[in-house]
Amino acid sequence: LTSLKLRSSRLGLSGMEHLAPAIASCAKLASLDLSWNGLRDRAASQLTQALGQCTALTNLQLDGNHLTEPFRCCALRSLGVASNELRGAVLNDILKSAWQLTEIDISFLGLDCSEVVDLSDGLFVCTSLTSLTIAGNQVRETGADVLCETLRHCTEIRKLNLQSNPIAAGARAIGSLMNDLRDVTVLDLAACDLGPEGALKLEQA
């Protein structure tokens, strides 16, 4: 077994107690999707222990659960934790343990500017990053400035999704970043409250 998809399967803690040993036995498992299963930190702890045996795992999707604490994911290339309860400092710890990540989805976590600052060190070490989705948070001008300064070190990035953040005047920092990262092919600023001023700042960058 190399890929296991159990999205929206109502697993919860009890389900994870039964599933964890089976996952641990899948030495060739490369992709695991446990999104929207009502998993909390105790279940995540059991999962982390099981994944320690899955040395081939590169893709882990845990969107839509109730995770609040850090977990280790050293060998991953793709991680999705959207719509959880993870804060910036916790994300920072997770990312520092997963510096080989190429794709990260941290959408709809309610991250504000201070939390973008908190997670910036973790993003800084992810120098192989090619895709970052941080949609549906509360990234404003200051947060955009910090994020863009951090992403200048991620020279492999090709896709940046910031939709549904109240960025507004922060568009200037994004425009400046695009001037530095010429290989970006997808930039999503939908519903970012840019208005004429934000559009002008993009043009001026």
Side-chain angles (χ1 to χ4, degrees):
L1 185 66
T2 60
S3 178
L4 179 59
K5 297 180 180 180
L6 291 171
R7 191 180 184 90
S8 301
S9 295
R10 298 186 298 169
L11 293 175
L13 175 60
S14 178
M16 185 53 62
E17 288 175 342
H18 295 295
L19 184 63
I23 291 175
S25 69
C26 296
K28 296 182 179 180
L29 188 65
S31 178
L32 177 62
D33 188 346
L34 293 174
S35 300
W36 303 99
N37 272 294
L39 303 181
R40 298 184 182 274
D41 292 323
R42 185 176 171 188
S45 177
Q46 293 181 328
L47 175 62
T48 300
Q49 292 180 29
L51 293 181
Q53 307 301 315
C54 301
T55 55
L57 189 72
T58 58
N59 175 36
L60 179 61
Q61 302 301 314
L62 293 170
D63 300 337
N65 288 294
H66 304 286
L67 306 180
T68 66
E69 297 180 359
F71 52 88
R72 294 186 64 79
C73 45
C74 299
L76 291 181
R77 298 295 186 273
S78 179
L79 175 65
V81 289
S83 300
N84 276 280
E85 299 165 26
L86 299 166
R87 308 284 20 108
V90 173
L91 286 171
N92 188 51
D93 289 343
I94 294 171
L95 296 179
K96 281 184 174 180
S97 76
W99 56 271
Q100 299 180 74
L101 281 169
T102 59
E103 299 180 5
I104 303 170
D105 187 348
I106 49 175
S107 301
F108 300 100
L109 297 176
L111 302 175
D112 59 20
C113 297
S114 65
E115 291 178 298
V116 171
V117 173
D118 288 341
L119 67 86
S120 61
D121 285 348
L123 280 176
F124 185 87
V125 302
C126 295
T127 54
S128 299
L129 189 65
T130 61
S131 175
L132 174 63
T133 302
I134 190 171
N137 286 290
Q138 293 297 314
V139 179
R140 300 179 186 273
E141 182 176 1
T142 303
D145 290 345
V146 173
L147 179 64
C148 290
E149 188 60 33
T150 301
L151 291 179
R152 279 186 167 82
H153 300 277
C154 302
T155 56
E156 300 298 317
I157 198 161
R158 301 294 182 268
K159 178 182 177 182
L160 179 59
N161 184 344
L162 286 160
Q163 68 168 286
S164 300
N165 281 285
I167 290 170
R172 185 164 192 168
I174 296 168
S176 177
L177 177 66
M178 294 302 100
N179 285 331
D180 290 343
L181 302 181
R182 294 289 186 174
D183 291 328
V184 172
T185 58
V186 178
L187 174 62
D188 193 338
L189 296 176
C192 282
D193 197 26
L194 297 184
E197 181 184 0
L200 177 61
K201 289 184 180 298
L202 272 176
E203 179 187 14
Q204 292 174 338

